[in-house]
Amino acid sequence: MNETFEAQPTRIRRSRSNSASSERTRVFVIDDHPAIREALATTINSKVDMRMVGESGSAKQALRQIERNVPDVVIVDISLDDAHGLDLVEEIRNRFPSVRIIVFSMYDESVYAERAIRAGASGYIMKSEPTQHVVSAVQAVSEGEVYLSRRMSSRILSKVIRQQDYQLGSATEKLTDREMTVFQKLGEGHSVREIAAQLDLSRKTIETYRRRAKEKLGFETVAELLQYAVQWAYGREEGGSTKEGNSNGQDSAGHSAD
């Protein structure tokens, strides 16, 4: 994963004072390798906007700790001694729906990334990548985005187009004016936070419009909706109108699924 799939070419960080430590993104790591947990802890705790609040090499132990002190983001390895990572992702998602999940795995993303997203994860990173990518992923998913490589995002888009054979123009007619506005801004690369500010609405309201658009267009995940929105916006930029049934799977400019 040489390129990160981020919503904005330049991410704007909120400045935080020392008294605002409670606003830091709280991260929990589940990995059966102590050295990896230690490396992630060092990286995460070095950032002013996040802190590591717990770690575990066991799925069962991790669930008990998360229940006592629910974090904002959980980083999960797929290979654990007492559970499969994807099963753990599903359980965390079901038991703690507010928690964002990132899968951090030695397995190539082509094998597990899409499965992880469908299980409920908001991001996928290979362990061969620099730990700084983990920081970027935590920042993205904590704001409601989906963090994938450009290659994986393009693959999901191509698959969605082939399977569902949508006609972009007619599909978006199902959306209300407000849902359409949010959909368009997502496709143009704006984050939920930015859209909320632009429309003078709350993040929760924007997330509701995004969810309704996802359901009306028949997508299962936010990642699929965002890739579809990018393709729609890309078609408007290229030809002045939407492209129908483009099944070549060409990747457009990287955006993250905020």
Side-chain angles (χ1 to χ4, degrees):
M1 183 172 66
N2 295 326
E3 300 182 60
T4 56
F5 187 73
E6 302 185 26
Q8 310 161 54
T10 302
R11 293 182 59 82
I12 300 175
R13 296 184 181 181
R14 292 170 294 173
S15 60
R16 301 176 187 268
S17 64
N18 292 332
S19 63
S21 59
S22 60
E23 296 181 10
R24 293 179 179 177
T25 300
R26 303 164 66 256
V27 184
F28 192 98
V29 174
I30 309 172
D31 194 295
D32 56 7
H33 292 86
I36 291 178
R37 298 200 303 271
E38 182 177 352
L40 290 176
T42 299
T43 300
I44 290 168
N45 289 331
S46 69
K47 306 302 176 183
V48 298
D49 57 351
M50 61 185 66
R51 64 190 175 101
M52 190 156 152
V53 296
E55 62 178 79
S56 177
S58 159
K60 292 181 180 179
Q61 182 186 62
L63 288 170
R64 289 196 296 269
Q65 293 179 349
I66 292 171
E67 187 171 18
R68 289 195 298 266
N69 187 19
V70 180
D72 301 305
V73 177
V74 174
I75 299 173
V76 180
D77 184 15
I78 284 182
S79 299
L80 299 169
D81 290 338
D82 61 341
H84 192 283
L86 295 186
D87 292 336
L88 182 57
V89 168
E90 289 185 355
E91 185 163 4
I92 294 172
R93 172 58 68 193
N94 291 334
R95 291 178 58 179
F96 313 101
S98 67
V99 173
R100 304 290 183 176
I101 306 166
I102 299 169
V103 172
F104 188 49
S105 174
M106 62 179 288
Y107 294 108
D108 188 272
E109 63 181 0
S110 64
V111 178
Y112 276 113
E114 187 175 355
R115 294 176 183 270
I117 296 299
R118 291 188 181 279
S122 296
Y124 192 98
I125 306 174
M126 293 172 58
K127 289 185 176 180
S128 58
E129 298 302 319
T131 53
Q132 181 59 39
H133 286 191
V134 176
V135 172
S136 298
V138 169
Q139 291 171 333
V141 305
S142 66
E143 295 187 355
E145 303 172 7
V146 173
Y147 191 94
L148 293 170
S149 71
R150 182 189 296 269
R151 180 183 68 172
M152 196 64 229
S153 300
S154 179
R155 176 178 174 178
I156 291 175
L157 170 61
S158 179
K159 181 176 181 180
V160 168
I161 292 175
R162 288 198 309 269
Q163 286 183 344
Q164 304 200 33
D165 192 27
Y166 271 113
Q167 291 187 343
L168 300 180
S170 60
T172 54
E173 292 176 0
K174 301 175 183 178
L175 307 180
T176 65
D177 290 345
R178 185 65 82 182
E179 290 163 357
M180 186 64 204
T181 298
V182 171
F183 174 82
Q184 178 178 342
K185 289 183 177 296
L186 290 171
E188 293 170 352
H190 297 285
S191 68
V192 167
R193 185 186 301 279
E194 290 175 330
I195 298 171
Q198 292 168 9
L199 301 181
D200 195 23
L201 297 170
S202 69
R203 286 187 58 181
K204 184 175 181 180
T205 299
I206 300 303
E207 290 171 351
T208 297
Y209 287 131
R210 183 180 64 178
R211 174 181 55 78
R212 290 176 181 172
K214 175 175 68 70
E215 293 172 351
K216 287 183 178 181
L217 296 176
F219 294 110
E220 295 183 6
T221 68
V222 172
E224 292 174 346
L225 172 69
L226 265 292
Q227 287 302 301
Y228 185 66
V230 169
Q231 181 72 4
W232 182 87
Y234 177 75
R236 286 171 59 87
E237 291 173 0
E238 288 294 301
S241 61
T242 57
K243 294 181 180 180
E244 298 188 357
N246 181 3
S247 59
N248 59 14
Q250 290 180 346
D251 189 21
S252 57
H255 296 76
S256 129
D258 181 21

